[in-house]
Amino acid sequence: MTNTDYAPLRPEDPQLQDEDHAALGEDYALTAAFVEKVVDAADDGDGMRLRSLLENLHPADVADLMGFLTAEHRSVVVQWLPPDLLAESLPEMDDGIREQVLERVPSATLAEALQELDSDDAASVVEDLEDDQRERVLAAMPEVERAAIESSLGYEEDSAGRLMQREFMAAPQFWNVGDTIDHVRAQGDDLPELFFDIYVVDPMNRPVGGVAISRMLRSPRSTPLVDLMEPVNVIEVDVDQEEVAYIFEKYHLISAPVVDTGGRLVGQLTVDDVVNIIQEENREDILRLAGVSDEDRSSSVLEIVRGRVPWLGINLFTAVLGASVIALFEGTIQEIVALAVLMPIVSAIGGNAGTQALTVTVRALATRELNASNALRTFWREMAVGLANGFILAPLIGLAAGFWFQDWRIGAVIGTAMILNLLVAASVGVLTPLTLAKLKFDPAVSSAVFVTATTDFFGFLIFLGLATMVLL
């Protein structure tokens, strides 16, 4: 199968002039009208119309469509997907939706579909199967494809070995351009679907360099590969996927060879795999900052509640701490009611400032722009930013509060409290993720809960403490 088989279709394309095929809107998203047609055809059990609607869709759009359908409609639609389109669509689906779809696909059909995929995509699908279904599917596959998938599943999850594809092109050191081109042409359908480099290997099958396809094709046939090859960034099979993404991003790689513990070439990683890794890691970090588990469109209410409640419970506990500070100054608040009106302003600004510093710090840690060598400099920079923000905002709120309550002492108290709480926010926004990283914890794991709790606690303490000293 070539990539052109499923090129995205635009509404103005001739193939989409029929209203049944007007699937994509101007933003490449599936239209509501098209989804409704699919639902109607599924309700009517009209398999031929379903196949007509689906056959020209890109696999990524099929995956999106599955997310818009109910489980009942998915079970009907999947029966009418051609095996090659089903195969290309499975890796694109959300994990939960893919698991539901896989339950509806007969083992023989799935085994046929997986043979259309590269080994890395096939392995990612097979690992989602229940044990008994996995055994049936693997048993129905040819021995070579089955062995490749089983070997991939033998590596740790989220490692380079699990992510790599076993299809690659390699050539010995003594070959020239002509030898290599002839070898590539002789492979026919056994060629990898996507590859950018020919890896040059020594007699022990260890990569010693790589030749870009574009450079090789511009060179005379008699040119030795060793004269064209460039050094390659070798990745070991047990390297974590986050480290893989960092290597690709830092060195601007399109592909990289993967080697086993003995340094022998066993696979390759390409940029399309790494784009998925980066998106997955960013998604995880965003969810963890908010204290939310990995949710998708197929998640049930119970699964979502189970993932969110623990962090809301922690948030409840920290809110009680903030309330306990207010209770200490109950007498002050009764004497000066204006303080109850102004307290939320101090805590809200501090919480937002802390979240800003936290987000920047977590991102810097994730991209390795922040480490022990520049941590202190980063801390003092954020403190300076917090102080500057305080001197800009404090006069504004101070003047407003003084004019509002006709007491300039109140304005001075809230202005001073805001400056101090912004400094607290800056410090905890940097120190919280740095401390978690030092302790080998994920710095993105709901640091925001602890940052806002700290800014609330100290915001109330500073504001009400100053008010007690100055106003009473």
Side-chain angles (χ1 to χ4, degrees):
M1 180 189 303
T2 63
N3 291 336
T4 55
D5 290 338
Y6 292 109
L9 299 177
R10 302 296 293 142
E12 64 269 22
D13 288 342
Q15 297 176 63
L16 290 177
Q17 293 305 311
D18 186 280
E19 64 174 6
D20 275 357
H21 291 141
L24 302 179
E26 291 299 325
D27 57 357
Y28 281 89
L30 291 174
T31 64
F34 180 82
V35 175
E36 186 176 349
K37 291 177 186 296
V38 173
V39 170
D40 289 342
D43 287 336
D44 296 338
D46 191 344
M48 297 308 295
R49 184 157 189 242
L50 278 174
R51 177 158 291 188
S52 174
L53 288 167
L54 301 173
E55 62 185 359
N56 288 322
L57 287 182
H58 188 281
D61 293 316
V62 173
D64 275 348
L65 175 64
M66 291 297 181
F68 291 126
L69 301 177
T70 63
E72 292 74 20
H73 288 130
R74 284 187 212 119
S75 65
V76 176
V77 170
V78 73
Q79 299 175 35
W80 294 96
L81 284 173
D84 54 351
L85 181 54
L86 172 63
E88 296 288 341
S89 303
L90 286 172
E92 305 286 344
M93 296 179 191
D94 293 338
D95 291 345
I97 293 174
R98 182 167 63 199
E99 289 176 10
Q100 294 178 8
V101 169
L102 291 173
E103 292 174 358
R104 304 288 182 174
V105 181
S107 298
T109 302
L110 185 55
E112 179 184 355
L114 292 178
Q115 294 175 50
E116 301 288 334
L117 297 177
D118 289 330
S119 56
D120 57 332
D121 290 331
S124 71
V125 173
V126 171
E127 70 179 341
D128 285 340
L129 300 175
E130 296 293 335
D131 291 342
D132 56 343
Q133 187 182 15
R134 181 184 303 174
E135 290 178 4
R136 292 195 301 271
V137 169
L138 290 175
M141 297 183 70
E143 184 177 349
V144 174
E145 284 83 353
R146 180 173 68 249
I149 292 175
E150 289 175 340
S151 178
S152 294
L153 294 176
Y155 294 108
E156 291 290 329
E157 188 175 0
D158 296 335
S159 67
R162 180 70 71 90
L163 297 167
M164 71 180 181
Q165 63 182 70
R166 292 180 166 273
E167 300 81 11
F168 58 86
M169 293 303 300
Q173 292 170 288
F174 56 85
W175 276 11
N176 59 27
V177 169
D179 296 328
T180 307
I181 291 176
D182 293 341
H183 175 72
V184 170
R185 287 175 176 167
Q187 300 308 302
D189 293 338
D190 293 332
L191 277 175
E193 183 177 348
L194 184 68
F195 66 104
F196 305 97
D197 299 288
I198 303 291
Y199 301 119
V200 182
V201 296
D202 66 13
M204 298 295 292
N205 201 39
R206 294 174 299 201
V208 295
V211 180
I213 296 294
S214 58
R215 186 177 186 189
M216 185 180 71
L217 293 177
R218 291 196 301 266
S219 304
R221 288 179 60 87
S222 60
T223 307
L225 291 183
V226 291
D227 292 347
L228 299 177
M229 71 181 187
E230 299 286 345
V232 289
N233 295 85
V234 175
I235 297 175
E236 296 184 357
V237 289
D238 57 354
V239 171
D240 184 81
Q241 66 174 20
E242 204 167 340
E243 179 79 9
V244 170
Y246 173 74
I247 293 170
F248 266 73
E249 184 177 8
K250 181 176 182 178
Y251 297 109
H252 310 291
L253 303 182
I254 297 177
S255 65
V258 181
V259 298
D260 61 16
T261 53
R264 293 178 293 272
L265 181 63
V266 291
Q268 70 167 343
L269 288 164
T270 55
V271 68
D272 59 318
D273 303 311
V274 177
V275 168
N276 292 333
I277 295 171
I278 293 172
Q279 290 177 335
E280 181 182 332
E281 293 293 338
N282 286 342
R283 180 170 178 258
E284 283 183 5
D285 287 347
I286 290 172
L287 292 174
R288 287 173 176 176
L289 274 171
V292 179
S293 63
D294 194 8
E295 302 169 6
D296 57 38
R297 289 175 287 188
S298 66
S299 298
S300 67
V301 172
L302 182 60
E303 290 171 337
I304 294 173
V305 170
R306 189 182 297 130
R308 296 186 188 183
V309 159
W311 291 111
L312 290 176
I314 294 173
N315 202 182
L316 179 62
F317 173 73
T318 57
V320 170
L321 288 180
S324 66
V325 174
I326 297 174
L328 290 176
F329 295 94
E330 184 178 356
T332 303
I333 296 173
Q334 288 177 344
E335 289 286 332
I336 309 170
V337 179
L339 299 180
V341 178
L342 298 174
M343 279 191 308
I345 298 175
V346 178
S347 63
I349 295 297
N352 286 334
T355 301
Q356 288 176 339
L358 169 67
T359 303
V360 171
T361 304
V362 169
R363 179 59 183 163
L365 285 169
T367 58
R368 306 192 186 187
E369 297 172 1
L370 177 59
N371 54 39
S373 64
N374 62 349
L376 189 60
R377 185 167 67 250
T378 300
F379 173 79
W380 287 117
R381 184 189 66 183
E382 288 298 328
M383 291 293 286
V385 170
L387 189 63
N389 288 337
F391 280 119
I392 292 171
L393 297 176
L396 298 178
I397 186 61
L399 289 172
F403 181 78
W404 187 1
F405 296 104
Q406 297 299 305
D407 188 339
W408 299 113
R409 294 180 304 166
I410 292 179
V413 166
I414 191 172
T416 303
M418 181 166 291
I419 292 173
L420 295 176
N421 200 30
L422 285 172
L423 290 175
V424 170
S427 63
V428 297
V430 175
L431 293 178
T432 299
L434 281 175
T435 302
L436 288 172
K438 185 70 174 178
L439 296 174
K440 306 300 182 183
F441 292 110
D442 188 340
V445 179
S446 206
S447 298
V449 173
F450 301 107
V451 170
T452 54
T454 304
T455 54
D456 284 351
F457 182 88
F458 282 100
F460 293 144
L461 182 63
I462 293 168
F463 178 56
L464 295 175
L466 285 174
T468 300
M469 291 187 292
V470 174
L471 302 176
L472 294 183

